[in-house]
Amino acid sequence: MNDRLSTDLRRDLEAWEQAAAAQWDRLTRSPDVLRRLGNQLSASLTSRQRIDALMQRAFLQTAAARPSSRELERLEQLEAQVARLVARIERLEDALRDE
Amino acid sequence: MNNLMQQWGALWGSGMARIWQHYTQAQDSIREQGRALVGQTPAQVVYTEGRLRLLHYTPRTPSPLAVPLLCIPSLINQYYIMDLTPERSLVGALLDHGIDVYMLDWGAAAEGDRHRSFDEYITGLMRRAIGFVRQHSGQPAIALLGYCMGGMMSALYTALYPDEIASLINLAGPINYHDDGIYSVWTRAEWLDADLLVDTLGNIPGELLNTTFNLVRPTGIALQALDYWERRDDPAFLRRFAAMQLWTSDTSAFPGEAFRKYIKDCYQQNRLIAGRFTIHDRPIDLRRITTPALTIAARRDHIAPWESVAVFHDLIASPDKELLVLESGHIGMVVGSSASTQLWPRLGQWLAARSGPPRT
């Protein structure tokens, strides 16, 4: 791009930018536009709050439905106790048979 | 609007497309170059608290002046705007005037900062940092320079703890929030529900704040691209450009609760100027400030309109007070091409005259 073209482009671009910025400024100060944008922002924030709450509830329910590590540990202890009892009964039965 | 779109189409066809492509492709490397340029003035980190850091710059004169200066940036902008590049450094200019300079770097707010109140930033973090500077320098009272939101925070601090502040500089810190500035319009309670925003997002993300800042004048980026194209072989320009590009994209999140109070009490209810702003329920009356004060506003400031800054000068009761209105913008006043002739020397002279004798 030669200097002449760049000079012309700058002049045109500056003029365009000023006009566009002025129009943008008017638009973004308009109460109607701001009210509409504000409502949309509030609506999306409220939706996000609901989604977050749903996710949290779902997570808590899943967590509640899943046995906790403490419960798993107790189950394992019971299982071991039952196995010990079974072994003891078998030993007693063997002893009775021998008598 | 259609006419503007047609004009843009013509500009695009007459070379803007190539310029735009060149600019967007260079974005990452521009910011990378900027990272190596900013905040280069030699300093030591002398105090930390969480992400907050307190920097103490190496003096440039054998005997710096007795009263140290602490610079307070905005909560959301990087401190290095005041030390942008070695050539564009307000800090450097103040050091050249013999000032002993400290800088508060708030650090990037994290999730844990969401519940930290605006009041706690003043009476907690700021107070402890100022206490450290007083102890470190051995001076009972120090000079405070607050830029942008930091100017407003420094004014609050001076009203709360006048004995700790020897002089105050409010650099483009808004005091009146009901003006025709674009942020005053955008943050009105009629369309901005600050409670909903904070309750949903917690901290307000830096990216969201950046998008908002860019929306003030989105068309300006086209001129930036052309500037970059035209001066791509000018090393001095490229250094400034890269540092500024980095700074403008390096916005921190606004801590949630602090945002809530700042927007509602300042922008929506304009409590500060009315004397109804409180810190931990204590009303702040700026009219009772008697500390020597310099208020600096910029006539083309679209972030903190100059009248909304200058009102601080009118409000306070300081017998020694001065108002300086510069012909520049909010950021240009500190790092623009005229900063080294308009702002730095006048600020340096004002401070030097109120910073006591050189230390022996």
Side-chain angles (χ1 to χ4, degrees), chain A residues 66-87:
Chain A
R66 217 181 287 142
S68 68
S69 56
R70 190 165 172 75
E71 284 167 335
L72 281 173
E73 194 190 341
R74 277 190 190 150
L75 277 173
E76 280 170 15
Q77 282 173 354
L78 278 173
E79 207 174 42
Q81 219 170 336
V82 169
R84 278 197 300 274
L85 282 171
V86 169

PDB file of all heavy atoms in Angstrom, chain A residues 66-87:
ATOM      1  N   ARG A  66     -25.847 -42.121  46.383  1.00  0.00           N
ATOM      2  CA  ARG A  66     -24.639 -42.931  46.356  1.00  0.00           C
ATOM      3  C   ARG A  66     -24.200 -43.239  47.790  1.00  0.00           C
ATOM      4  O   ARG A  66     -24.239 -42.347  48.640  1.00  0.00           O
ATOM      5  CB  ARG A  66     -23.542 -42.129  45.649  1.00  0.00           C
ATOM      6  CG  ARG A  66     -22.645 -42.988  44.789  1.00  0.00           C
ATOM      7  CD  ARG A  66     -21.583 -42.137  44.154  1.00  0.00           C
ATOM      8  NE  ARG A  66     -22.090 -41.293  43.094  1.00  0.00           N
ATOM      9  CZ  ARG A  66     -21.675 -40.048  42.865  1.00  0.00           C
ATOM     10  NH1 ARG A  66     -20.783 -39.477  43.633  1.00  0.00           N
ATOM     11  NH2 ARG A  66     -22.162 -39.360  41.870  1.00  0.00           N
ATOM     12  N   PRO A  67     -23.841 -44.526  48.130  1.00  0.00           N
ATOM     13  CA  PRO A  67     -23.415 -44.790  49.499  1.00  0.00           C
ATOM     14  C   PRO A  67     -22.144 -44.019  49.825  1.00  0.00           C
ATOM     15  O   PRO A  67     -21.249 -43.913  48.990  1.00  0.00           O
ATOM     16  CB  PRO A  67     -23.157 -46.297  49.516  1.00  0.00           C
ATOM     17  CG  PRO A  67     -23.116 -46.728  48.114  1.00  0.00           C
ATOM     18  CD  PRO A  67     -23.782 -45.701  47.276  1.00  0.00           C
ATOM     19  N   SER A  68     -22.128 -43.477  50.983  1.00  0.00           N
ATOM     20  CA  SER A  68     -20.946 -42.721  51.355  1.00  0.00           C
ATOM     21  C   SER A  68     -19.806 -43.694  51.658  1.00  0.00           C
ATOM     22  O   SER A  68     -20.018 -44.899  51.852  1.00  0.00           O
ATOM     23  CB  SER A  68     -21.243 -41.873  52.575  1.00  0.00           C
ATOM     24  OG  SER A  68     -21.426 -42.717  53.680  1.00  0.00           O
ATOM     25  N   SER A  69     -18.604 -43.193  51.732  1.00  0.00           N
ATOM     26  CA  SER A  69     -17.441 -44.056  51.976  1.00  0.00           C
ATOM     27  C   SER A  69     -17.561 -44.716  53.359  1.00  0.00           C
ATOM     28  O   SER A  69     -17.147 -45.850  53.557  1.00  0.00           O
ATOM     29  CB  SER A  69     -16.161 -43.226  51.863  1.00  0.00           C
ATOM     30  OG  SER A  69     -16.228 -42.148  52.739  1.00  0.00           O
ATOM     31  N   ARG A  70     -18.186 -43.966  54.297  1.00  0.00           N
ATOM     32  CA  ARG A  70     -18.346 -44.529  55.643  1.00  0.00           C
ATOM     33  C   ARG A  70     -19.297 -45.734  55.597  1.00  0.00           C
ATOM     34  O   ARG A  70     -19.059 -46.761  56.236  1.00  0.00           O
ATOM     35  CB  ARG A  70     -18.894 -43.446  56.559  1.00  0.00           C
ATOM     36  CG  ARG A  70     -18.872 -43.850  58.002  1.00  0.00           C
ATOM     37  CD  ARG A  70     -19.058 -42.636  58.898  1.00  0.00           C
ATOM     38  NE  ARG A  70     -19.220 -43.049  60.280  1.00  0.00           N
ATOM     39  CZ  ARG A  70     -18.228 -43.471  61.038  1.00  0.00           C
ATOM     40  NH1 ARG A  70     -17.003 -43.555  60.559  1.00  0.00           N
ATOM     41  NH2 ARG A  70     -18.446 -43.842  62.291  1.00  0.00           N
ATOM     42  N   GLU A  71     -20.399 -45.558  54.784  1.00  0.00           N
ATOM     43  CA  GLU A  71     -21.339 -46.676  54.675  1.00  0.00           C
ATOM     44  C   GLU A  71     -20.694 -47.874  53.993  1.00  0.00           C
ATOM     45  O   GLU A  71     -20.898 -49.009  54.388  1.00  0.00           O
ATOM     46  CB  GLU A  71     -22.569 -46.220  53.880  1.00  0.00           C
ATOM     47  CG  GLU A  71     -23.492 -45.342  54.713  1.00  0.00           C
ATOM     48  CD  GLU A  71     -24.536 -44.638  53.872  1.00  0.00           C
ATOM     49  OE1 GLU A  71     -24.302 -44.433  52.661  1.00  0.00           O
ATOM     50  OE2 GLU A  71     -25.568 -44.283  54.425  1.00  0.00           O
ATOM     51  N   LEU A  72     -19.885 -47.608  52.991  1.00  0.00           N
ATOM     52  CA  LEU A  72     -19.190 -48.703  52.300  1.00  0.00           C
ATOM     53  C   LEU A  72     -18.271 -49.457  53.263  1.00  0.00           C
ATOM     54  O   LEU A  72     -18.199 -50.688  53.264  1.00  0.00           O
ATOM     55  CB  LEU A  72     -18.365 -48.142  51.138  1.00  0.00           C
ATOM     56  CG  LEU A  72     -19.152 -47.817  49.869  1.00  0.00           C
ATOM     57  CD1 LEU A  72     -18.260 -47.113  48.861  1.00  0.00           C
ATOM     58  CD2 LEU A  72     -19.730 -49.096  49.255  1.00  0.00           C
ATOM     59  N   GLU A  73     -17.618 -48.668  54.110  1.00  0.00           N
ATOM     60  CA  GLU A  73     -16.700 -49.280  55.073  1.00  0.00           C
ATOM     61  C   GLU A  73     -17.477 -50.190  56.028  1.00  0.00           C
ATOM     62  O   GLU A  73     -17.068 -51.305  56.328  1.00  0.00           O
ATOM     63  CB  GLU A  73     -15.997 -48.162  55.838  1.00  0.00           C
ATOM     64  CG  GLU A  73     -14.791 -48.649  56.616  1.00  0.00           C
ATOM     65  CD  GLU A  73     -14.270 -47.572  57.552  1.00  0.00           C
ATOM     66  OE1 GLU A  73     -14.585 -46.391  57.344  1.00  0.00           O
ATOM     67  OE2 GLU A  73     -13.561 -47.943  58.486  1.00  0.00           O
ATOM     68  N   ARG A  74     -18.673 -49.693  56.460  1.00  0.00           N
ATOM     69  CA  ARG A  74     -19.496 -50.501  57.374  1.00  0.00           C
ATOM     70  C   ARG A  74     -19.961 -51.794  56.690  1.00  0.00           C
ATOM     71  O   ARG A  74     -19.969 -52.869  57.294  1.00  0.00           O
ATOM     72  CB  ARG A  74     -20.716 -49.699  57.824  1.00  0.00           C
ATOM     73  CG  ARG A  74     -20.363 -48.797  58.988  1.00  0.00           C
ATOM     74  CD  ARG A  74     -21.608 -48.202  59.593  1.00  0.00           C
ATOM     75  NE  ARG A  74     -21.245 -47.169  60.528  1.00  0.00           N
ATOM     76  CZ  ARG A  74     -21.996 -46.123  60.790  1.00  0.00           C
ATOM     77  NH1 ARG A  74     -23.139 -45.978  60.177  1.00  0.00           N
ATOM     78  NH2 ARG A  74     -21.615 -45.236  61.671  1.00  0.00           N
ATOM     79  N   LEU A  75     -20.332 -51.660  55.413  1.00  0.00           N
ATOM     80  CA  LEU A  75     -20.767 -52.847  54.666  1.00  0.00           C
ATOM     81  C   LEU A  75     -19.649 -53.881  54.584  1.00  0.00           C
ATOM     82  O   LEU A  75     -19.867 -55.077  54.764  1.00  0.00           O
ATOM     83  CB  LEU A  75     -21.198 -52.446  53.243  1.00  0.00           C
ATOM     84  CG  LEU A  75     -22.617 -51.927  53.098  1.00  0.00           C
ATOM     85  CD1 LEU A  75     -22.848 -51.401  51.698  1.00  0.00           C
ATOM     86  CD2 LEU A  75     -23.623 -53.055  53.392  1.00  0.00           C
ATOM     87  N   GLU A  76     -18.457 -53.363  54.322  1.00  0.00           N
ATOM     88  CA  GLU A  76     -17.307 -54.270  54.257  1.00  0.00           C
ATOM     89  C   GLU A  76     -17.068 -54.959  55.603  1.00  0.00           C
ATOM     90  O   GLU A  76     -16.775 -56.158  55.660  1.00  0.00           O
ATOM     91  CB  GLU A  76     -16.052 -53.509  53.823  1.00  0.00           C
ATOM     92  CG  GLU A  76     -15.994 -53.298  52.322  1.00  0.00           C
ATOM     93  CD  GLU A  76     -14.894 -52.342  51.905  1.00  0.00           C
ATOM     94  OE1 GLU A  76     -13.996 -52.065  52.726  1.00  0.00           O
ATOM     95  OE2 GLU A  76     -14.957 -51.849  50.781  1.00  0.00           O
ATOM     96  N   GLN A  77     -17.231 -54.196  56.679  1.00  0.00           N
ATOM     97  CA  GLN A  77     -17.055 -54.772  58.016  1.00  0.00           C
ATOM     98  C   GLN A  77     -18.092 -55.867  58.269  1.00  0.00           C
ATOM     99  O   GLN A  77     -17.774 -56.953  58.786  1.00  0.00           O
ATOM    100  CB  GLN A  77     -17.186 -53.685  59.084  1.00  0.00           C
ATOM    101  CG  GLN A  77     -15.930 -52.827  59.227  1.00  0.00           C
ATOM    102  CD  GLN A  77     -16.167 -51.666  60.178  1.00  0.00           C
ATOM    103  OE1 GLN A  77     -17.281 -51.433  60.646  1.00  0.00           O
ATOM    104  NE2 GLN A  77     -15.096 -50.932  60.449  1.00  0.00           N
ATOM    105  N   LEU A  78     -19.368 -55.578  57.876  1.00  0.00           N
ATOM    106  CA  LEU A  78     -20.441 -56.571  58.061  1.00  0.00           C
ATOM    107  C   LEU A  78     -20.158 -57.835  57.253  1.00  0.00           C
ATOM    108  O   LEU A  78     -20.336 -58.958  57.734  1.00  0.00           O
ATOM    109  CB  LEU A  78     -21.781 -55.976  57.615  1.00  0.00           C
ATOM    110  CG  LEU A  78     -22.482 -55.090  58.645  1.00  0.00           C
ATOM    111  CD1 LEU A  78     -23.690 -54.421  58.023  1.00  0.00           C
ATOM    112  CD2 LEU A  78     -22.932 -55.943  59.840  1.00  0.00           C
ATOM    113  N   GLU A  79     -19.686 -57.588  56.019  1.00  0.00           N
ATOM    114  CA  GLU A  79     -19.377 -58.713  55.138  1.00  0.00           C
ATOM    115  C   GLU A  79     -18.307 -59.612  55.779  1.00  0.00           C
ATOM    116  O   GLU A  79     -18.440 -60.847  55.820  1.00  0.00           O
ATOM    117  CB  GLU A  79     -18.853 -58.169  53.807  1.00  0.00           C
ATOM    118  CG  GLU A  79     -19.101 -59.093  52.637  1.00  0.00           C
ATOM    119  CD  GLU A  79     -18.681 -58.388  51.339  1.00  0.00           C
ATOM    120  OE1 GLU A  79     -17.621 -57.725  51.346  1.00  0.00           O
ATOM    121  OE2 GLU A  79     -19.412 -58.495  50.370  1.00  0.00           O
ATOM    122  N   ALA A  80     -17.275 -58.971  56.328  1.00  0.00           N
ATOM    123  CA  ALA A  80     -16.195 -59.714  56.969  1.00  0.00           C
ATOM    124  C   ALA A  80     -16.715 -60.478  58.190  1.00  0.00           C
ATOM    125  O   ALA A  80     -16.334 -61.638  58.434  1.00  0.00           O
ATOM    126  CB  ALA A  80     -15.077 -58.740  57.377  1.00  0.00           C
ATOM    127  N   GLN A  81     -17.642 -59.796  58.938  1.00  0.00           N
ATOM    128  CA  GLN A  81     -18.199 -60.432  60.133  1.00  0.00           C
ATOM    129  C   GLN A  81     -19.020 -61.676  59.750  1.00  0.00           C
ATOM    130  O   GLN A  81     -18.908 -62.728  60.384  1.00  0.00           O
ATOM    131  CB  GLN A  81     -19.100 -59.428  60.841  1.00  0.00           C
ATOM    132  CG  GLN A  81     -18.967 -59.504  62.347  1.00  0.00           C
ATOM    133  CD  GLN A  81     -19.690 -58.324  63.003  1.00  0.00           C
ATOM    134  OE1 GLN A  81     -19.875 -57.285  62.373  1.00  0.00           O
ATOM    135  NE2 GLN A  81     -20.111 -58.495  64.234  1.00  0.00           N
ATOM    136  N   VAL A  82     -19.818 -61.513  58.696  1.00  0.00           N
ATOM    137  CA  VAL A  82     -20.627 -62.647  58.215  1.00  0.00           C
ATOM    138  C   VAL A  82     -19.709 -63.792  57.787  1.00  0.00           C
ATOM    139  O   VAL A  82     -19.934 -64.967  58.122  1.00  0.00           O
ATOM    140  CB  VAL A  82     -21.543 -62.202  57.045  1.00  0.00           C
ATOM    141  CG1 VAL A  82     -22.184 -63.408  56.354  1.00  0.00           C
ATOM    142  CG2 VAL A  82     -22.616 -61.255  57.546  1.00  0.00           C
ATOM    143  N   ALA A  83     -18.628 -63.451  57.078  1.00  0.00           N
ATOM    144  CA  ALA A  83     -17.692 -64.487  56.620  1.00  0.00           C
ATOM    145  C   ALA A  83     -17.080 -65.217  57.820  1.00  0.00           C
ATOM    146  O   ALA A  83     -16.930 -66.456  57.805  1.00  0.00           O
ATOM    147  CB  ALA A  83     -16.584 -63.839  55.776  1.00  0.00           C
ATOM    148  N   ARG A  84     -16.754 -64.423  58.848  1.00  0.00           N
ATOM    149  CA  ARG A  84     -16.180 -65.049  60.054  1.00  0.00           C
ATOM    150  C   ARG A  84     -17.204 -65.995  60.710  1.00  0.00           C
ATOM    151  O   ARG A  84     -16.876 -67.096  61.150  1.00  0.00           O
ATOM    152  CB  ARG A  84     -15.743 -63.970  61.042  1.00  0.00           C
ATOM    153  CG  ARG A  84     -14.358 -63.390  60.706  1.00  0.00           C
ATOM    154  CD  ARG A  84     -13.769 -62.658  61.890  1.00  0.00           C
ATOM    155  NE  ARG A  84     -14.592 -61.548  62.332  1.00  0.00           N
ATOM    156  CZ  ARG A  84     -14.522 -60.306  61.820  1.00  0.00           C
ATOM    157  NH1 ARG A  84     -13.655 -60.054  60.838  1.00  0.00           N
ATOM    158  NH2 ARG A  84     -15.298 -59.352  62.266  1.00  0.00           N
ATOM    159  N   LEU A  85     -18.482 -65.529  60.777  1.00  0.00           N
ATOM    160  CA  LEU A  85     -19.549 -66.342  61.377  1.00  0.00           C
ATOM    161  C   LEU A  85     -19.755 -67.632  60.591  1.00  0.00           C
ATOM    162  O   LEU A  85     -19.906 -68.716  61.165  1.00  0.00           O
ATOM    163  CB  LEU A  85     -20.859 -65.536  61.434  1.00  0.00           C
ATOM    164  CG  LEU A  85     -20.950 -64.502  62.566  1.00  0.00           C
ATOM    165  CD1 LEU A  85     -22.173 -63.618  62.395  1.00  0.00           C
ATOM    166  CD2 LEU A  85     -21.018 -65.217  63.927  1.00  0.00           C
ATOM    167  N   VAL A  86     -19.755 -67.502  59.253  1.00  0.00           N
ATOM    168  CA  VAL A  86     -19.933 -68.679  58.389  1.00  0.00           C
ATOM    169  C   VAL A  86     -18.825 -69.697  58.674  1.00  0.00           C
ATOM    170  O   VAL A  86     -19.073 -70.890  58.854  1.00  0.00           O
ATOM    171  CB  VAL A  86     -19.940 -68.267  56.895  1.00  0.00           C
ATOM    172  CG1 VAL A  86     -19.845 -69.480  55.974  1.00  0.00           C
ATOM    173  CG2 VAL A  86     -21.206 -67.474  56.574  1.00  0.00           C
ATOM    174  N   ALA A  87     -17.583 -69.196  58.771  1.00  0.00           N
ATOM    175  CA  ALA A  87     -16.447 -70.079  59.026  1.00  0.00           C
ATOM    176  C   ALA A  87     -16.605 -70.771  60.385  1.00  0.00           C
ATOM    177  O   ALA A  87     -16.315 -71.969  60.528  1.00  0.00           O
ATOM    178  CB  ALA A  87     -15.154 -69.275  58.990  1.00  0.00           C
TER     179      ALA A  87
END
